[in-house]
Every structure is written in C-alpha cells, then in structure tokens.
Amino acid sequence: MKERIEKLLADVEAFKAEKIEEVEQLRIKILGKKGELNELFASFKEVANDQKKEVGQLLNQLKVKTQERIVELSSSFAQKEEKGDNFLDLSLPISDDNLGSRHPLSIVKNEIIDIFSRIGYSISEGPEIEDDWHNFSALNFPKEHPARDMQDTFFIDKEHALRTHTSSVQVRVMENSTPPIRTISPGRVFRNEAISARAHCIFHQVEGLYIDKNVSFADLKQTLLYFAKEMFGEKTEIRLRPSYFPFTEPSAEVDVSCNICSGKGCNVCKHTGFLEILGCGMVDPNVLENCGIDSKVYTGFAFGMGVERIAMLKYQINDLRMFFENDIRFLNQFKSTI
Ligand code: DAH
C-alpha cells in the first residue's frame, strides 16, 4: 500500500496537462468518489497497527498534493484563456540572448569615472543651462574679454547660456564645500560650432578638480600619468605642452603617446607620435578667491577632457558624428561590463 501511495504521489507531481479536461480527469482519478484516495482509505483498516501512522500521513499528503496541483494547473489555464496569445509566464527564467549594449561614450565615461574613483575622486554634476558667473566670470573670464571667444557660445539671454564646458561645475563645487576637494564632473556641453568629423555642437567632457594644502604641479602630472596608463595601457607616456586657459596658471595641454603606432609616428598622430587628450593647470588664485577659498592656504589643480576624443583614440574611430547617428551596426560593436 505504501508503494502504491508513493507511486501516485510521484505521478501527481510530474503530471502535466495539455488541456483543462485532463486536469479534471486527474481530479476524478484521485479525488473522485470512486477514486484512488477513497479506495485507499477503505483498505486503510487492513494496514498493520505499527504502520498506520506512516501510511495515514502518506495518504494525507497525497490528498493535499493532488489538490494543490489541480489548483495550480487550473489557474494557469485560466490565465492563458484570459490573456489569449499574449500570455506571459512570469515564472520563466529570463533569456539573455537579446540584450542591448551600452553606448561607447557611456562606456568611456564610466571607465574615466572608475579610474578616478579608485584614487578617491567623488562625482559631481551641475546644470546644462548655466549662468554667466559659473560658466565664465568666476573662472576668470572678465566681461568683454577676448578669451570668451575661445568657446563659441549658445546664449539663452544676457545672463544665461548652454554651458560651454564642465569647468562650471568646479565653481559650484568650490562654492559649496571646503577643501580637501577631490572631484570629477562628467556632463554634456554645447558649442556653436559647425558639425564635422572632428567637431560637434554637443559633446561630453569630464572635469577634474583637486584642492588641498600643498597641492603641486608634480601631483597633477602624476595623476594624469596614472590616468593615461589606466585608460590606454601601461606603456603609455604623456607629454605636457605649455598653454593658456583663463582659469589656470600655469596651464598645459596634455598629449598621450599614440596607441596605434606606439609613438613611432603614423597617420592618426600625424607622424608626431603623440595625441592631445586634455587641458589642465594649477587653479588660478583668482578663481579660488571667487569661489570663497583662501588662496594663501590652499592650492589645487584642474583638468578637463573630451569624452568623444578619448573614445575616438581608444576605439580608433575617425569620425565624431558616428557617436550621434545611433546606427545600430556601429553601436552593436561595443560590449562592456562597465
Ligand atoms: N574647460 C576647458 C575646455 O573646455 C578644458 C580645461 C582646460 C579644463 C584646463 C580645465 C583646465 O579644468 O584646467 O576647453
């Protein structure tokens, strides 16, 4: 008897139905008036006394299991009927064969964030519509100063513009915190430029800022070398060229050794062996004072890089417009875990 109940239990558990009628047949077979269960209960009195307890429990188990299975199958048929062909079985495991991929600019941006967060940089953000103070004046671009023409600006009104760089965020961070400050600010920027293979009116930057006591140009160089090696490979070298930005003094532009020809010279690096990746410098004392930081106590460095430019170098893409066309054949080539 025990074996018979156990066999029935296994049958019920494995029972599958193509049609609702089959569920009803199961019910009749086991729970019906002349069904297995009643028959088994009828012969229960013949079970030896010392086995009654165990067999009784098994019988109960068969009853409960069968009832549960019937409810389960019936409700799944009811759902199918209700939803028609669109029936969604939410208990199915997810399929991973049609996942999208991240945009290459997001991949590179996330990588930059990752590299700097490993050395203690936080992330900060600011608005894309910016006032004159944060985009220009606080950064030491006086009104009517020709340096403002370095960046062709989309003005909204006299006091507001679409930000031309993410340097505006460093002003906001300095105004709202006290040193030590170590932050990077990724974001979209806008310039009134003709669209070409090398320029776009919308692009992305990551700004970096480090303010503390005794921060030196050597710290800046070492930080950027670390970044270049993490981003482009251990063998990468950097080169600093003197430059001018209103908000840093001294200022420099930074090149990395060409990762295509390893510095030997090729078409991409125009046979110089180097490619420009960012601007940087020591934060001008005027900027610190504009933002409420005592320039006699604190020094700091800042840098700003274009995400498109880094992505073009990393993936050897020669037309910036590709990033904005959203051609699925282009986007599908980028897979990442970051
Ligand atoms: N804001 C500059 C630009 O958009 C880039 C830059 C240069 C940012 C030097 C900096 C810096 O923080 O120190 O061209």
Side-chain angles (χ1 to χ4, degrees):
M1 183 155 175
K2 219 177 107 189
E3 286 78 39
R4 191 162 149 215
I5 303 174
E6 273 163 355
K7 162 99 185 23
L8 283 168
L9 263 170
D11 286 353
V12 167
E13 206 142 337
F15 183 80
K16 288 201 174 66
E18 300 268 310
K19 290 184 256 148
I20 186 83
E21 291 79 27
E22 290 168 21
V23 184
E24 177 62 5
Q25 277 159 18
L26 175 76
R27 192 192 66 77
I28 295 170
K29 176 172 178 275
I30 312 256
L31 305 175
K33 241 188 185 161
K34 295 184 182 148
E36 302 268 2
L37 205 65
N38 276 346
E39 216 174 278
L40 285 161
F41 271 120
S43 36
F44 186 65
K45 37 186 183 314
E46 285 143 39
V47 174
N49 270 347
D50 59 345
Q51 287 194 21
K52 273 205 157 70
K53 188 170 172 211
E54 194 188 353
V55 175
Q57 278 172 350
L58 273 172
L59 271 175
N60 261 331
Q61 213 179 327
L62 178 62
K63 187 174 166 190
V64 172
K65 262 261 145 49
T66 311
Q67 285 166 338
E68 279 174 5
R69 190 82 191 111
I70 287 170
V71 169
E72 200 180 320
L73 289 166
S74 316
S75 74
S76 114
F77 275 108
Q79 274 192 42
K80 265 187 200 162
E81 202 153 278
E82 204 174 288
K83 307 247 168 68
D85 285 344
N86 293 329
F87 170 67
L88 262 185
D89 184 352
L90 298 178
S91 64
L92 280 178
I94 56 158
S95 94
D96 61 357
D97 49 28
N98 218 359
L99 285 183
S101 53
R102 275 195 208 290
H103 193 282
L105 293 178
S106 296
I107 297 175
V108 170
K109 181 191 76 177
N110 290 346
E111 219 169 311
I112 298 171
I113 291 174
D114 200 48
I115 291 171
F116 281 103
S117 52
R118 290 206 288 273
I119 52 170
Y121 281 71
S122 63
I123 300 171
S124 44
E125 289 184 331
E128 292 179 348
I129 295 176
E130 196 47 285
D131 53 33
D132 182 276
W133 171 254
H134 292 96
N135 197 79
F136 291 122
S137 298
L139 288 165
N140 214 20
F141 290 84
K143 285 237 153 80
E144 319 299 338
H145 193 279
R148 290 194 179 210
D149 291 341
M150 285 168 75
Q151 302 170 352
D152 300 308
T153 310
F154 285 117
F155 287 98
I156 289 173
D157 57 35
K158 265 188 121 182
E159 275 302 307
H160 297 90
L162 297 180
R163 68 178 174 197
T164 57
H165 52 186
T166 43
S167 303
S168 54
V169 186
Q170 55 159 288
V171 176
R172 291 184 175 272
V173 173
M174 284 192 274
E175 283 174 340
N176 293 310
S177 40
T178 44
I181 297 169
R182 227 183 287 144
T183 189
I184 52 168
S185 323
R188 231 170 3 167
V189 300
F190 308 84
R191 293 203 195 161
N192 192 357
E193 284 192 39
I195 296 169
S196 72
R198 300 174 59 94
H200 209 288
C201 54
I202 303 179
F203 55 102
H204 300 79
Q205 289 188 331
V206 176
E207 183 81 9
L209 179 72
Y210 182 21
I211 310 279
D212 202 349
K213 290 176 182 155
N214 301 318
V215 177
S216 73
F217 203 89
D219 298 323
L220 170 60
K221 256 170 73 177
Q222 213 48 44
T223 304
L224 295 178
L225 181 62
Y226 157 78
F227 167 71
K229 283 180 184 289
E230 292 293 305
M231 186 51 115
F232 296 107
E234 185 50 37
K235 295 212 173 77
T236 311
E237 290 171 22
I238 60 169
R239 179 173 83 174
L240 279 77
R241 285 176 288 105
S243 185
Y244 170 76
F245 299 101
F247 34 90
T248 43
E249 182 59 34
S251 306
E253 275 169 313
V254 178
D255 304 336
V256 289
S257 50
C258 178
N259 62 340
I260 295 167
C261 62
S262 315
K264 288 187 200 74
C266 68
N267 277 343
V268 176
C269 61
K270 301 207 184 73
H271 300 281
T272 61
F274 281 91
L275 294 154
E276 186 196 321
I277 56 159
L278 56 83
C280 66
M282 300 304 293
V283 180
D284 192 300
N286 287 343
V287 176
L288 293 175
E289 296 293 336
N290 284 343
C291 302
I293 291 177
D294 189 344
S295 63
K296 290 191 197 66
V297 180
Y298 293 106
T299 53
F301 62 71
F303 54 86
M305 64 185 91
V307 180
E308 280 78 0
R309 177 139 190 97
I310 308 267
M312 285 170 88
L313 298 180
K314 198 168 166 77
Y315 297 121
Q316 298 170 19
I317 295 164
N318 55 15
D319 192 328
L320 192 143
R321 288 169 291 197
M322 302 258 225
F323 292 125
F324 301 97
E325 280 163 0
N326 284 335
D327 185 330
I328 203 84
R329 292 166 303 177
F330 171 72
L331 298 177
N332 263 340
Q333 297 175 51
F334 301 90
K335 299 271 180 236
S336 96
T337 51
I338 197 160

